[in-house]
Amino acid sequence: MTQVPIADDSIRLGQFLKLADLAESGAQARELLEDGAVTVNGEPEARRGRQLVRGDVVEVDLPGGRESATVG
């Protein structure tokens, strides 16, 4: 699992998906969320603006398989 450092105390989920290379663009991040392909700490999440803090685990079901990253 990849740990992705953040500069502030929190980050929005949509921004984190791009920062962690789990989505190529904001549009793709929105599509992943709308399709129910994203979980945060094991719970399904559809809000692009969800605030993440250090230690949160984000998992995404991508065509190539499931990928995950931890907020660092």
Side-chain angles (χ1 to χ4, degrees), residues 25-58:
S25 66
Q28 185 186 19
R30 182 178 60 244
E31 289 174 14
L32 290 168
L33 291 162
E34 288 174 355
D35 291 344
V38 180
T39 62
V40 177
N41 299 327
E43 298 293 324
E45 184 57 71
R47 297 172 294 163
R48 207 171 44 172
R50 157 91 185 252
Q51 293 291 319
L52 303 174
V53 295
R54 286 178 179 85
D56 282 343
V57 177
V58 177

Side-chain angles (χ1 to χ4, degrees), residues 1 13 16-17 22 38-41 52 56-60 67-71:
M1 185 179 314
L13 178 55
F16 183 77
L17 290 171
L22 297 172
V38 180
T39 62
V40 177
N41 299 327
L52 303 174
D56 282 343
V57 177
V58 177
E59 294 181 307
V60 181
E67 294 192 30
S68 60
T70 304
V71 181

Side-chain angles (χ1 to χ4, degrees), residues 5-27:
I6 59 173
D8 296 320
D9 291 334
S10 65
I11 187 170
R12 288 191 176 113
L13 178 55
Q15 293 173 321
F16 183 77
L17 290 171
K18 293 184 294 183
L19 182 65
D21 291 327
L22 297 172
E24 293 179 9
S25 66

